[in-house]
Amino acid sequence: MAAPLQLHPDRLFSSDETQRGIARRLYAEVKDLPIISPHGHTDPSWFALNEPFPDPAQLLIVPDHYVFRMLYSQGIPLEALGVPSVDGTPVETDGRKIWHRFAENYFLFRGTPSRMWLDWVFAEVFGLDVLLSPETADLYYDTIDAALRTDEFRPRALFDRYKMEALATTEGALDDLAHHKTIAASGWGGQVITTYRPDAVVDPEMPGFADNVRKLGELTGENVENWDGYLAAHRTRRAYFREVGGATATDHGHATAKTLDLPRAEAEALFGRVLSGDARPGDAEAFRAQMLTEMARMSVEDGMTMQIHPGAHRNHNEGVLTRFGRDKGGDIPAPTEYVTALKPLLNAVGNEPNLNVIVFTLDEDSYSRELAPLAGHYPALTLGPPWWFHDSPEGMRRFRERTTETAGFYNTAGFNDDTRAFLSIPARHDVARRMDCVWLAQLVAEHHLPEDEAAEVAHELAYGLAKKAYRL
Amino acid sequence: MAAPLQLHPDRLFSSDETQRGIARRLYAEVKDLPIISPHGHTDPSWFALNEPFPDPAQLLIVPDHYVFRMLYSQGIPLEALGVPSVDGTPVETDGRKIWHRFAENYFLFRGTPSRMWLDWVFAEVFGLDVLLSPETADLYYDTIDAALRTDEFRPRALFDRYKMEALATTEGALDDLAHHKTIAASGWGGQVITTYRPDAVVDPEMPGFADNVRKLGELTGENVENWDGYLAAHRTRRAYFREVGGATATDHGHATAKTLDLPRAEAEALFGRVLSGDARPGDAEAFRAQMLTEMARMSVEDGMTMQIHPGAHRNHNEGVLTRFGRDKGGDIPAPTEYVTALKPLLNAVGNEPNLNVIVFTLDEDSYSRELAPLAGHYPALTLGPPWWFHDSPEGMRRFRERTTETAGFYNTAGFNDDTRAFLSIPARHDVARRMDCVWLAQLVAEHHLPEDEAAEVAHELAYGLAKKAYRL
Amino acid sequence: MAAPLQLHPDRLFSSDETQRGIARRLYAEVKDLPIISPHGHTDPSWFALNEPFPDPAQLLIVPDHYVFRMLYSQGIPLEALGVPSVDGTPVETDGRKIWHRFAENYFLFRGTPSRMWLDWVFAEVFGLDVLLSPETADLYYDTIDAALRTDEFRPRALFDRYKMEALATTEGALDDLAHHKTIAASGWGGQVITTYRPDAVVDPEMPGFADNVRKLGELTGENVENWDGYLAAHRTRRAYFREVGGATATDHGHATAKTLDLPRAEAEALFGRVLSGDARPGDAEAFRAQMLTEMARMSVEDGMTMQIHPGAHRNHNEGVLTRFGRDKGGDIPAPTEYVTALKPLLNAVGNEPNLNVIVFTLDEDSYSRELAPLAGHYPALTLGPPWWFHDSPEGMRRFRERTTETAGFYNTAGFNDDTRAFLSIPARHDVARRMDCVWLAQLVAEHHLPEDEAAEVAHELAYGLAKKAYRL
């Protein structure tokens, strides 16, 4: 007989009766709040076109690097999981076969957040009540496949069912935002906004950088061969992203958190070198660093919240990069320093009370040592939630344990799901709400915070702080 | 109706009944032990002159960088909090207005140790029984202000009421210790001793270094233009601090933990360069490093305990430094390495059984990786308690969790409050005693340590180890 | 009256009733599983010769650096503990006197894993039921000494009593494996295998490196003056270790995790320089790095599991090194980087599904930031258990808390005791089994994992994963 699939109402709560009781009460007040998803990577075409999602494997396995990296780590080839190759390697296309491979190895996910998110999707979205296993794989496949062919499982219907108040996607600076225009013109009420992500026109080491900058000039009519024109082009695109795509934020994914605030002439000369291909060693890093400060200055002007996501060593696995391309589970966190790295930016604009720079980290060691002390001092700085590998129950626990005493709750930015796995978004917010209630329940149970104050904080963490941080 | 202010007798204890019961029993045996405060920054003039403290805002907000940094991080200007400027910026002088701003934002401190310390002061020292809020701000101000005008709230009366057995202040090497002389001559029995802090005559990058060294020569009659005379001058001042100020310890606040043990000729030449202003790059760092080893050698001779407090990136916020000066919440911890940094000092004197070097850290990552292994091996090395940002319930929990298994309890130095906030000293020791009992109660409840042994350890952590580490 | 010595059946389990109940059930199913000890430092002569162990002090104190480092850190000279000197310093030889010194200071071990392991040995192996103290020191000495003279306490009898299914020792590449031959020829059924540890012929900074390589050539008949011959000699010795000593694994203890994959000509030239003594700065590090990749390639060929143990700053205390030699408690963990360090090796062979590289760390910060993400992606990489200073209840807790969510359970290698303290091996495995059950019980109690799945995992962690990781 198949094992049952049960989402226990008390899941993640402490088994200590006192704490569990408090957590239940706090959670009851926040569990049904609308979802604010101010940073993520869903595809705006889903909401623009509202077409049915593809088959279960193409929806839940093939695009989810959390899922296929774990399977790959245990020796299952990516091609057997249907991950598209870039070198012509033939890959599995039979969704049911992929699904069976996944089901046979579902035990690998024990203790991981992927298991929590997937079980939630299976139970809550598709109504499955037995655990995924080789025996139930076909039942799963058939049930999900059938549901996905119905209108109730189209993107907009799910968006509405999920009570999403706002969802931000992320587009490159050169994107025409066609899908966001379509959404706006459609009459559908869902608030799907974009985010300005200029990495491709800011990072001289990105393939095609010079071409990208040239296109930026064409799109904006600015002379991007000089520094002022280049900056003006960014201002123009930021305005376009705000006006056409509803953007309230920018996003910056650099290898480090390094910032610079060079004298104008030096910045201009640096730009000249990186654009012309005459860059010296260190120029690319310096230019990215300078641009973070420039972007922060633009945020002071135009009010856009600035997000900095540093610290990933991208495409660590060269074999996988060659055969399957970027973003295939081979990104690995690296030690990341913030105190000296952020100093130039913070000394330029860190005392601006109306600027909001949200910093994320993949290096948890920086929580108590660097980030909480910085955020607990600089008006412009806010801590982003636990990110990527740390978007998990234990990751969330460590985040609150290590940041609250120095930065408090109000210098944190609420939750981001940061995902392209649209179906699991409510599960991710639910885990965050639960874990914040677990932390607050411990503070209450240990007489560190009165319960009425904890309830106020829980509401802010689940809803209010994200709205405020992203000006939604 | 105002929310009540209640200090629960079980605060910070686990809500697990078994652990809580054990923690209660352990804590009952240590809660009333006298306070040993062997390292801190209270002002000796308070105890010399015994004048009333100023108004509530000047006492509790304006000088407390923990308090105003949090308020500042949320956009409240330092001038609105009465923090004195150094550039002529006018600042708020109305204590009641400052107090109201604080009360309006008291919710920001939820979950922070500042909230615990302040609530304790409000409830235990001033007898307030409603929570601080905009509505109760005047009640608070009036109550505290009235109390501070009475003799019972003068410094010596509070010192006695707090059952302080010993309190160490910290004075620079050039200080005349006039206040300590006054205290000694006063007939009052309070043991208020000094600590030798030579940074201003040891760190070539401190403003006025050469002048300071010249004054050191004048005070001691030594020829401080040569290396031997300079070292002799330190010996003389150390003796003065012991004899006149009762000092049993020295304190050293460097940016890093780097030490050196140069051959005599090199040390001499280095001293010549930093004194003459001919320093090469790295000389200042090298000189500080060399002086830590010299100071350790003097401690072998004269028996003074040596404290090393490395790892703060001072005055990170240049705007705040320019407008408000040093120590205004802009100090940020930085990654700090100990294994290679301390090696020269430890190889010189680390095997001396009668030397006591107490090392602190702002980098919690060093607890299990570097500091506990070092302290669990070298006879001369002892771990200082969780410091500054980590002087908090979670910081204390992490300290014991990460150091006990390798360094044990007996290589740690008991508690330091390290504060200038005199009124909160008992609250800080109380948090430390509670958290140590929480940790011990867990060991007992998990059958890792018998309760009678835990009780002995609790006593040592609350009282005995500090006396021993500082030879009080 | 002497305090009782009691090993509580619930020791280390949470005092929370729900969690404790689950932990008891999980533990009941794994506590009696045979012991797989795939990495350690016991002496094969014990099992070859099966002679009685020496006196209690020589058995339990003198060779245990965990024990004497703690005593030394509190000022007890190593010579007073009988630790053999290398400089002629006379040392205590009276076992009973050493034992008394140990007993007087046994309180120093409160809260440490040494205390747990020792209490287990005293109670379970020698049947003592009072706590070690100055008063019971003689009782202890006499009881243990008498037992050690009986046949039941000879090495093979204990091995059998301990239900050890496999025990791996570690021998240098030049070892003749005589003891393993003796064991194999003896007819005794105990599986005592060796491990290939080539540091002395791989690390140019080891004393006698060139001589060692010459001996490697003699043993194998290869021309080790050229690169191909040198590599072939390794292949030959690896085969010898497999065939004669039953080895299934190699082990590599370098200061860092640095690897390189140089072009053949460069590797060849590098080998020439380090062998001839013409090494340039960085060559030794580069050669060690290159050899890790070469060894990994050989593992792909011959199927031996590869263990990398980086990150110890060896012999930190020069005074102790001079007087007492290596491995005397003066090894200190240092910050260790893995992401860029392991990249050359992983890019060479990390995608090989049949390779098993087990990485250990002394830097717990790398768990969630680097090692779990790497192991959760690369097929060839597995995480070793908490090592050395972190082989302790809290160390094990942190390991699971920080690795499970990203690497899962199945990318970890089960437990290693890594000890030369043979008597305590079951105690160490017992602590690991308990702490894994504690972690699993929390996941079950918080409805994160069903109990039947947790039971399967517990079995794997206690037994299955170690067999698989080491191909035993």
Side-chain angles (χ1 to χ4, degrees), chain C residues 149-216:
Chain C
R149 293 163 195 267
T150 66
D151 284 349
E152 288 72 24
F153 287 83
R154 288 185 186 237
R156 291 185 187 173
L158 285 174
F159 187 101
D160 295 338
R161 173 174 163 189
Y162 283 177
K163 289 199 284 190
M164 304 199 66
E165 183 173 315
L167 174 71
T169 64
T170 306
E171 272 70 45
L174 305 177
D175 197 283
D176 62 5
L177 307 183
H179 296 306
H180 289 84
K181 285 185 205 162
T182 304
I183 295 166
S186 72
W188 174 58
Q191 194 188 356
V192 176
I193 62 178
T194 187
T195 303
Y196 185 64
R197 173 95 173 211
D199 295 357
V201 292
V202 155
D203 180 356
E205 291 175 332
M206 286 282 248
F209 169 69
D211 266 1
N212 294 337
V213 172
R214 192 180 42 72
K215 281 179 208 150
L216 180 70

Side-chain angles (χ1 to χ4, degrees), chain B residues 2 38 87 107 117 129 131 163 165 229 241 275 321 364 440:
Chain B
D87 71 341
F107 69 95
W117 301 329
D129 60 5
L131 195 68
K163 289 199 285 188
E165 184 173 314
F241 270 61
L275 192 64
L321 177 65
E364 295 179 301
L440 288 164

Side-chain angles (χ1 to χ4, degrees), chain A residues 3-4 6 8 10-17 20 69-75 78 107-116 131 313-320 328-336 362-365 369 389-390 392-398 402, chain C residues 16 18-19 337-344 346-347 350-353 363-366 368-381 398 400-412 439 442-443 445-450 452-454 456-457 468:
Chain A
Q6 290 169 332
H8 197 284
D10 287 334
R11 63 191 182 277
L12 296 180
F13 296 164
S14 172
S15 53
D16 175 79
E17 261 187 62
R20 189 178 56 207
R69 81 193 302 279
M70 176 64 90
L71 298 168
Y72 184 66
S73 78
Q74 287 284 309
L78 292 180
F107 69 94
L108 296 175
F109 294 94
R110 287 169 178 165
T112 69
S114 294
R115 164 77 179 262
M116 298 203 78
L131 194 68
H313 184 123
R314 300 276 174 184
N315 308 305
H316 191 272
N317 189 328
E318 291 167 13
V320 165
K328 292 299 177 292
D331 298 340
I332 309 291
T336 308
L362 293 174
D363 184 349
E364 296 179 299
D365 298 339
R369 184 179 59 212
F389 297 97
H390 311 312
S392 62
E394 292 301 319
M396 290 170 183
R397 194 193 308 271
R398 285 193 288 270
R402 299 187 191 179
Chain C
D16 175 79
T18 309
Q19 292 192 30
E337 197 275 341
Y338 292 89
V339 178
T340 56
L342 291 179
K343 194 174 178 189
L346 290 171
N347 274 299
N351 293 308
E352 293 286 340
D363 184 350
E364 295 179 300
D365 298 338
S366 63
S368 72
R369 186 181 58 212
E370 301 171 50
L371 291 178
L374 286 167
H377 169 66
Y378 280 102
L381 205 67
R398 286 193 288 270
R400 293 287 173 212
E401 283 176 357
R402 299 187 190 178
T403 64
T404 305
E405 295 181 319
T406 293
F409 291 105
Y410 295 86
N411 285 305
T412 65
W439 169 241
Q442 184 182 335
L443 293 182
E446 296 178 355
H447 309 290
H448 198 340
L449 191 67
D452 59 337
E453 297 190 55
E456 269 184 52
V457 173
K468 184 176 155 234

Side-chain angles (χ1 to χ4, degrees), chain B residues 67-82:
Chain B
V67 170
F68 62 67
R69 81 192 304 276
M70 177 63 90
L71 298 168
Y72 184 67
S73 77
Q74 287 284 309
I76 301 164
L78 292 180
E79 47 269 47
L81 297 168

Side-chain angles (χ1 to χ4, degrees), chain A residues 171-181 219 237 240-241 244-245:
Chain A
E171 273 70 45
L174 305 177
D175 196 283
D176 62 5
L177 308 183
H179 296 306
H180 289 85
K181 283 185 204 160
L219 278 174
R237 288 309 285 170
Y240 182 81
F241 270 61
V244 172

Side-chain angles (χ1 to χ4, degrees), chain A residues 57 61-62 68 71-72 75-84 89-102 323-324:
Chain A
I61 301 169
V62 175
F68 62 67
L71 298 168
Y72 184 66
I76 301 163
L78 292 180
E79 47 270 46
L81 297 167
V83 177
T89 301
V91 308
E92 181 63 67
T93 54
D94 181 333
R96 194 176 293 267
K97 280 195 188 152
I98 296 169
W99 190 264
H100 270 272
R101 271 179 206 121
F102 171 55
R323 297 181 55 222
F324 296 94

Side-chain angles (χ1 to χ4, degrees), chain A residues 344-385:
Chain A
L345 183 154
L346 290 171
N347 274 300
V349 295
N351 293 308
E352 294 286 341
N354 296 320
L355 173 63
N356 198 5
V357 178
I358 305 179
V359 180
F360 297 79
T361 194
L362 293 174
D363 184 349
E364 296 179 299
D365 298 339
S366 63
Y367 284 156
S368 72
R369 184 179 59 212
E370 302 171 49
L371 291 177
L374 286 167
H377 169 66
Y378 280 102
L381 205 68
T382 301
L383 298 186

